[in-house]
Amino acid sequence: VQLTYEWSSMPPGSYINPHTDKAAKLVTFVWHFPEVGWRHTDCGATVFLAAKRWKHNFNWANFKLPFRELNVLETSEVEGNRLVMFAKTGNSWHAVPPIECGPNTGRRVFIFNYRYPVEITDSLPVRAMESFHRRSQGWLFKDFPDVNRKPGA
């Protein structure tokens, strides 16, 4: 198992579409560092979601869905020194709705993940399994090409 980390600062208007993470991720931790004066009305919370249709609950390939296709189960509001943890599953849907804060602020978090090491995830058997998941589950998400388009496509 490998620990990876990243700093994220999202400006006003940005968002993260609902997704379940890549299969290589095991556990994700999100640590909030809100700016002074941050309000709950600024949004930026991590929302945990449930698919409205059963067929979207087997998402090992990390396809995305539009917000309208999911119901909110729980909202982890942006609070100082708050740490949120969740595990990757086929239905671990989560997202960040559009951020509505002022122009000189943003959503600030430190994210770290426990994941399978790159040496394992880049191996031929694991890449073949990921390809299998994408091909076998792709038809379930074919109605949403706008959120599943690869960058640059």
Side-chain angles (χ1 to χ4, degrees):
V1 176
Q2 181 180 48
L3 176 66
T4 61
Y5 54 88
E6 65 181 284
W7 173 257
S8 173
S9 181
M10 296 173 62
S14 59
Y15 60 93
I16 299 172
N17 277 316
H19 64 286
T20 60
D21 284 338
K22 290 186 173 191
K25 286 188 183 179
L26 301 171
V27 178
T28 298
F29 297 85
V30 180
W31 193 0
H32 294 272
F33 290 90
E35 298 194 36
V36 175
W38 185 270
R39 304 163 306 189
H40 289 282
T41 56
D42 293 336
C43 299
T46 302
V47 293
F48 298 95
L49 307 151
K52 291 180 180 178
R53 295 191 276 176
W54 68 269
K55 70 179 187 176
H56 294 137
N57 282 326
F58 306 99
N59 187 21
W60 289 99
N62 195 30
F63 285 101
K64 296 169 183 63
L65 283 175
F67 284 94
R68 69 180 180 274
E69 294 294 320
L70 300 117
N71 293 317
V72 175
L73 293 175
E74 189 67 41
T75 300
S76 176
E77 295 291 350
V78 176
E79 297 282 345
N81 209 29
R82 173 174 281 178
L83 181 68
V84 179
M85 185 277 297
F86 57 94
K88 160 63 180 174
T89 68
N91 65 351
S92 56
W93 291 100
H94 58 284
V96 177
I99 297 171
E100 301 172 3
C101 58
N104 297 320
T105 189
R107 176 187 187 258
R108 301 184 311 176
V109 297
F110 184 71
I111 301 168
F112 51 105
N113 301 288
Y114 281 105
R115 56 165 286 146
Y116 291 111
V118 173
E119 299 79 33
I120 293 173
T121 58
D122 281 353
S123 69
L124 183 59
V126 172
R127 288 185 313 169
M129 183 58 75
E130 287 178 356
S131 177
F132 168 78
H133 283 305
R134 286 204 69 78
R135 291 171 193 274
S136 65
Q137 297 171 1
W139 70 274
L140 299 169
F141 298 90
K142 68 178 174 37
D143 296 333
F144 311 106
D146 52 328
V147 294
N148 286 297
R149 189 168 291 118
K150 291 186 179 184

